[in-house]
Amino acid sequence: MAPSRDRLLHFGFKATMFSNSDEAVINKKLPKELLLRIFSFLDVVTLCRCAQVSRAWNVLALDGSNWQRIDLFDFQRDIEGRVVENISKRCGGFLRKLSLRGCLGVGDNALRTFAQNCRNIEVLNLNGCTKTTDAEGCPLLEQLNISWCDQVTKDGIQALVRGCGGLKALFLKGCTQLEDEALKYIGAHCPELVTLNLQTCLQITDEGLITICRGCHKLQSLCASGCSNITDAILNALGQNCPRLR
């Protein structure tokens, strides 16, 4: 039986759910450290199932060290903000990678709590989280996908890049409110940037992209598909400033 929304929501289980199976042979034969290592290879659904077996397994399965990489897209797409808040509180500094792709119910409040608790996050996918606006935090972030978050403005980009100077991949596809000023912030604060996707960012022009070329010399991949206001000047700037482009 797949874990229910309530079980994921509370990110833990009541003791009354468990049978008297803590004395099972596997718990006697294997030390907790080894069981914890085994659990570290399991996906979200399996961990939630294991957490229902016994009190001992509940503690091991929901240990923050097992939740370093979480992708909720294939598990449940109607995730609410409080689920993200609960995850961030339990995982804390363990969490390195989180995908909330398509989670339409996740907004700024949840991400604010997330940023406060998960300071070591490196990869964050918010593709299609349309309730998300401008946010900041997570100084170790290296990859961020906020494609189709069309409420994000230059203010959010400014806060992001000033706090996350180590960004290597930034996906802004469909962020239609972004203008050249947002790109100037990226060019000024993201020297490590390798991948940038600006597809369908309709308002950007040569001016903004030239700033990217001059500030992001490590750039290898640039997507400006659908950006109808750019000209040959961009190709010239790329050729002069981005020798690693692939």
Side-chain angles (χ1 to χ4, degrees), residues 16-100:
T16 53
M17 294 178 58
F18 306 130
S19 61
N20 188 23
S21 55
D22 283 340
E23 298 302 316
V25 174
I26 190 172
N27 293 332
K28 293 181 178 180
K29 294 292 186 181
L30 298 181
K32 291 181 179 179
E33 292 78 9
L34 183 53
L35 284 170
L36 190 61
R37 176 61 175 166
I38 294 172
F39 283 4
S40 70
F41 293 97
L42 304 180
D43 57 30
V44 171
V45 175
T46 309
L47 280 171
C48 287
R49 287 173 176 164
C50 288
Q52 300 174 59
V53 172
S54 68
R55 291 182 181 86
W57 278 31
N58 179 270
V59 173
L60 292 172
L62 299 183
D63 188 274
S65 63
N66 289 324
W67 297 77
Q68 297 184 39
R69 300 171 184 83
I70 303 176
D71 187 346
L72 298 179
F73 182 75
D74 293 326
F75 178 71
Q76 185 174 306
R77 302 185 189 182
D78 57 345
I79 295 295
E80 298 178 358
R82 49 187 174 163
V83 173
V84 177
E85 294 180 23
N86 289 346
I87 288 175
S88 68
K89 290 175 182 177
R90 178 173 289 275
C91 296
F94 288 109
L95 193 61
R96 295 294 187 275
K97 180 177 180 179
L98 175 65
S99 176
L100 298 173

Side-chain angles (χ1 to χ4, degrees), residues 23 42 48 53 56-57 70 79 94 97 99-100 108 130 144 146 148 152 159 166-167 182 190 214 217-218 223 237:
E23 298 302 316
L42 304 180
C48 287
V53 172
W57 278 31
I70 303 176
I79 295 295
F94 288 109
K97 180 177 180 179
S99 176
L100 298 173
D108 290 344
T130 54
L144 176 64
I146 50 174
W148 306 111
V152 174
L167 274 175
C190 298
R214 291 174 176 171
H217 299 293
K218 295 182 180 181
C223 179

Side-chain angles (χ1 to χ4, degrees), residues 103-119:
C103 296
L104 302 179
V106 176
D108 290 344
N109 289 336
L111 292 180
R112 189 172 295 111
T113 302
F114 169 82
Q116 292 172 350
N117 292 308
C118 301
R119 306 291 291 178

Side-chain angles (χ1 to χ4, degrees), residues 41 54 84 92 121 134-135 143 147 172 176 179 185 193 225 237:
F41 293 97
S54 68
V84 177
I121 192 74
D134 299 329
Q143 178 176 317
S147 296
L172 303 173
T176 53
E179 301 174 338
Y185 294 138
L193 199 64
S225 177

